[in-house]
Amino acid sequence: MSISIIKPGILDTIQDSGRPGYADWGINPGGPMDTYAATLANLLAGSEKNAAVVEVHFPAPQILFRKQSLIALTGGDFQPTLNDIPLPLCQPVVVKENTILHFPSYRSGARCYLAIEGGFATDKWLGSRTTNLNAGATGLTGRKLAKNDELSCGPGKKLSANLRAETDAAILPWRADTANCYNNVHEISCVPGNEWGLLDWESKKCWEETNFIIHPSSDRMGYQLKNEPLKMSNKFQMVSTGVSFGTIQLLPNGQLVVLMADHQTTGGYPRIAHVVSAHLPKLAQLRPSDCIKFGMVKMEEAEKLYQSQIHDLNLLQESCMTRLNEYLCR
Amino acid sequence: MRYLATMTIYSLGDAAVVMDLGNSIDQSLNQQVNAMKVWVRDHPFDGLRDAVSAYSSLTLHYDPLVVQQHYQPKQTISSWVQSYLTKVYDESLTMETDKEETVVIPVCYEEEFSPDLATVAETTGLTTEDVIEIHLAGLYHIYMIGFLPGFPYMGKLDPRIAVPRKSSPRMVTAGSVAITGLQTGIYPIGSPGGWQIIGSTPVRLFDPGAEIPALLRPGQKVKFSRIEKNDYVNFDH
């Protein structure tokens, strides 16, 4: 086994790139809340970009590394330490066997990702290792991590075998710059939803000019937002249609909900807007009582933002591999 | 080509598009949607992640980067997928659709399995026996699966037993057979729910360990058959 959970956090789950293709059975694709951070963690740890990672929330778990491993932590900053040595985010680390990862205090963000070289090799359900908390699947595809869970990792490239950790944590000397992805973290761009035009003038003004606050009842299924109630200029009845990660629905009480990674497959409320794909990672790192300022962009712009984000990740993938290989041959 | 005046195509964010044939609960529109989905499954484009059918709409989820790389659309990626959907609609019009079989679901309507049956009877001014008979008489079309894994949205229910949902949801056990408005459904797993429970089926609608976890799929027909408590308890899975 590669790691053991000494003490679980409030919500630690296994996430890979999700389980698309089963909406006909009412099973949603799930996947990490912050796909950018999850991918980045994998790249830094020398894994495939879709490998399974552990997504943790604060209070976060204590994890024992049973053998030497190449790991990376990305996303929310919960001040990680390894045997009391502070660990940086977005930087590969070779951890020695029998060391303990701990997240003693909260600093920023909402979700932190732990990747390990080779990826976590938990059982798959319907082609994916992603945890689905409401389908009753067995093992870690159906529940959060618990005390004494043991996880192994895939074979990977075994880069870590050549990287001897002389200390408990050997922090490798390169770091990914994530500023492009997380700049202006409260400003979330959207494209208009099909029912945007049905909002009355005052509601559109409220959307454009005021901040929305994330309500404490928000979770991996959706973010409940709080603001002055929005109104439609006409009464509009719609039947349920497909919905998406980032869809912003107007509830009957005039409040908005943003559907997140574990959203249901269909929904029947008016769709005011959709968060652009490139800003979902930012949104995933916001927490209850944080505020959001929405802005509307055109589809062209949304697509460009996403392409440029993936382009950045592709460049990072190349440089991560180059740096790791160089480091091994030094 | 036979276009519907009510038909719309629109983007659902930058990674999904929807074709809605008429924003209504209508069996023929739903059958058309299912035909479109079959065509999409047989002729997927590179980058397609999922095709989700609902009452009168089909939603395609896609990976914008893969579509961009494979098809290099001149306009937006979204408009490329929207034109693909228009083609899907045209192609589906000439498709021969398989006749879907009818699935018979045994239901026990006895008191301990039907906590809301008396309320439904009271609201509608019928006897509980009338409500059961009317529910049993219908042949229901599965419009979509959603809300919970394996939850079938079925209709149309006889308007004589149409009742609003409960004012606040409560925990509902797996197998509960429920009604609201002109719809009937079955809770495949325990969950909070607001529909009125009038019976329970011993049939397992969702089994995550099975190769095909959901018993029902959109487009099928469902007929309920009445069983006694004894049959319910001794039901052979």
Side-chain angles (χ1 to χ4, degrees):
Chain A
M1 288 297 151
S2 294
I3 68 164
S4 311
I5 305 300
I6 296 175
K7 186 181 168 195
I10 191 164
L11 179 58
D12 319 323
T13 57
I14 300 289
Q15 300 293 340
D16 58 14
S17 57
R19 188 177 286 112
Y22 300 102
D24 257 6
W25 297 338
I27 299 169
N28 94 335
M33 288 283 273
D34 180 347
T35 50
Y36 181 88
T39 305
L40 181 60
N42 277 324
L43 299 181
L44 289 165
S47 297
E48 296 297 323
K49 60 181 178 189
N50 294 332
V53 298
V54 177
E55 180 184 271
V56 309
H57 296 74
F58 193 83
Q62 285 180 36
I63 295 173
L64 170 69
F65 291 98
R66 290 200 172 274
K67 58 176 198 184
Q68 179 180 288
S69 312
L70 173 59
I71 65 156
L73 294 161
T74 59
D77 187 353
F78 308 154
Q79 312 254 285
T81 62
L82 191 87
N83 284 5
D84 297 329
I85 305 164
L87 292 186
L89 294 176
C90 301
Q91 214 166 329
V93 182
V94 183
V95 299
K96 224 178 188 171
E97 68 269 19
N98 295 322
T99 51
I100 293 173
L101 175 66
H102 182 44
F103 299 87
S105 52
Y106 175 80
R107 187 158 171 219
S108 65
R111 285 139 190 112
C112 178
Y113 294 85
L114 166 66
I116 195 163
E117 188 195 9
F120 290 102
T122 51
D123 288 341
K124 288 184 178 183
W125 178 53
L126 302 176
S128 166
R129 298 188 164 94
T130 277
T131 303
N132 182 323
L133 292 173
N134 67 12
T138 54
L140 291 179
T141 51
R143 65 164 173 86
K144 58 186 186 177
L145 294 179
K147 188 178 162 83
N148 297 332
D149 275 344
E150 304 217 324
L151 279 66
S152 55
C153 61
K157 301 183 191 72
K158 290 286 171 214
L159 295 165
S160 54
N162 295 317
L163 291 167
R164 281 248 59 96
E166 282 122 27
T167 52
D168 285 344
I171 298 162
L172 304 191
W174 59 91
R175 183 176 192 284
D177 178 5
T178 59
N180 269 349
C181 178
Y182 300 106
N183 62 359
N184 303 324
V185 69
H186 298 281
E187 291 174 23
I188 302 294
S189 292
C190 298
V191 288
N194 200 47
E195 284 75 52
W196 163 255
L198 299 177
L199 277 185
D200 68 14
W201 183 81
E202 276 176 16
S203 298
K204 282 183 181 165
K205 209 167 137 67
C206 174
W207 162 276
E208 278 155 13
E209 295 176 0
T210 65
N211 288 335
F212 289 79
I213 309 293
I214 301 176
H215 192 265
S217 60
S218 301
D219 57 17
R220 276 185 52 95
M221 282 182 77
Y223 283 5
Q224 312 280 337
L225 305 183
K226 192 101 190 75
N227 201 341
E228 292 299 313
L230 306 186
K231 290 193 294 291
M232 316 267 285
S233 45
N234 300 318
K235 268 256 181 281
F236 175 70
Q237 278 296 329
M238 58 176 279
V239 301
S240 288
T241 65
V243 289
S244 202
F245 187 0
T247 295
I248 304 178
Q249 294 182 320
L250 177 64
L251 301 179
N253 65 4
Q255 300 296 334
L256 299 179
V257 59
V258 192
L259 303 183
M260 299 300 282
D262 282 345
H263 65 83
Q264 295 173 357
T265 52
T266 56
Y269 296 119
R271 297 140 302 179
I272 299 309
H274 305 272
V275 175
V276 302
S277 295
H279 285 185
L280 290 173
K282 281 207 276 194
L283 185 59
Q285 293 299 348
L286 295 181
R287 302 204 313 162
S289 78
D290 280 343
C291 69
I292 299 175
K293 177 77 180 68
F294 289 116
M296 220 54 115
V297 298
K298 286 198 159 51
M299 184 60 76
E300 289 83 347
E301 172 76 6
E303 291 181 352
K304 274 200 195 114
L305 284 169
Y306 184 64
Q307 286 175 54
S308 116
Q309 190 171 85
I310 300 299
H311 181 69
D312 282 357
L313 280 173
N314 289 341
L315 290 179
L316 273 164
Q317 180 167 27
E318 282 174 37
S319 44
C320 284
M321 285 322 294
T322 311
R323 295 302 297 266
L324 271 172
N325 286 324
E326 278 172 11
Y327 198 77
L328 291 175
C329 302
R330 89 205 135 110
Chain B
M1 277 187 276
R2 180 170 56 93
Y3 287 113
L4 302 165
T6 49
M7 192 170 92
T8 52
I9 302 184
Y10 55 87
S11 62
L12 188 81
D14 58 17
V17 296
V18 180
M19 177 176 256
D20 192 328
L21 302 182
N23 186 34
S24 57
I25 303 180
D26 177 299
Q27 199 170 310
S28 69
L29 290 185
N30 187 254
Q31 277 159 343
Q32 185 74 46
V33 167
N34 279 307
M36 286 171 62
K37 189 173 65 187
V38 169
W39 197 89
V40 170
R41 294 258 157 93
D42 291 344
H43 307 83
F45 58 87
D46 288 296
L48 177 70
R49 280 188 180 135
D50 204 355
V52 185
S53 62
Y55 288 108
S56 59
S57 67
L58 181 68
T59 301
L60 302 184
H61 296 270
Y62 58 91
D63 181 332
L65 260 291
V66 178
V67 176
Q68 166 74 28
Q69 281 156 6
H70 280 264
Y71 306 102
Q72 292 165 2
K74 289 189 188 68
Q75 294 166 341
T76 60
I77 300 161
S78 176
S79 52
W80 186 91
V81 183
Q82 291 181 38
S83 15
Y84 167 88
L85 255 182
T86 317
K87 191 173 91 181
V88 174
Y89 177 76
D90 294 343
E91 295 286 347
S92 71
L93 289 177
T94 54
M95 269 176 62
E96 294 279 325
T97 47
D98 297 340
K99 205 163 161 48
E100 286 281 7
E101 77 268 39
T102 298
V103 183
V104 178
I105 306 272
V107 181
C108 180
Y109 294 92
E110 285 175 35
E111 215 174 325
E112 66 182 281
F113 300 103
S114 56
D116 303 321
L117 185 57
T119 317
V120 173
E122 201 178 317
T123 315
T124 55
L126 299 164
T127 64
T128 54
E129 199 53 36
D130 291 338
V131 174
I132 294 167
E133 288 303 326
I134 292 170
H135 189 249
L136 280 168
L139 174 65
Y140 301 106
H141 177 81
I142 301 178
Y143 286 95
M144 61 180 203
I145 306 286
F147 167 51
L148 293 172
F151 185 102
Y153 284 85
M154 300 178 282
K156 287 182 177 177
L157 198 66
D158 190 312
R160 284 177 293 168
I161 56 169
V163 284
R165 62 186 75 196
K166 298 184 85 69
S167 52
S168 58
R170 79 299 199 202
M171 274 311 287
V172 172
T173 53
S176 294
V177 175
I179 59 173
T180 189
L182 297 179
Q183 303 183 91
T184 182
I186 308 166
Y187 289 83
I189 49 184
S191 154
W195 292 24
Q196 311 277 356
I197 311 301
I198 60 164
S200 184
T201 178
V203 173
R204 209 167 167 189
L205 263 76
F206 190 79
D207 177 3
E211 196 180 340
I212 298 175
L215 175 72
L216 302 173
R217 61 173 182 274
Q220 284 178 321
K221 306 284 179 203
V222 166
K223 183 91 191 148
F224 294 110
S225 77
R226 189 173 189 170
I227 56 168
E228 305 302 321
K229 184 181 170 186
N230 199 33
D231 303 326
Y232 183 97
V233 176
N234 298 316
F235 186 78
D236 186 8
H237 291 275

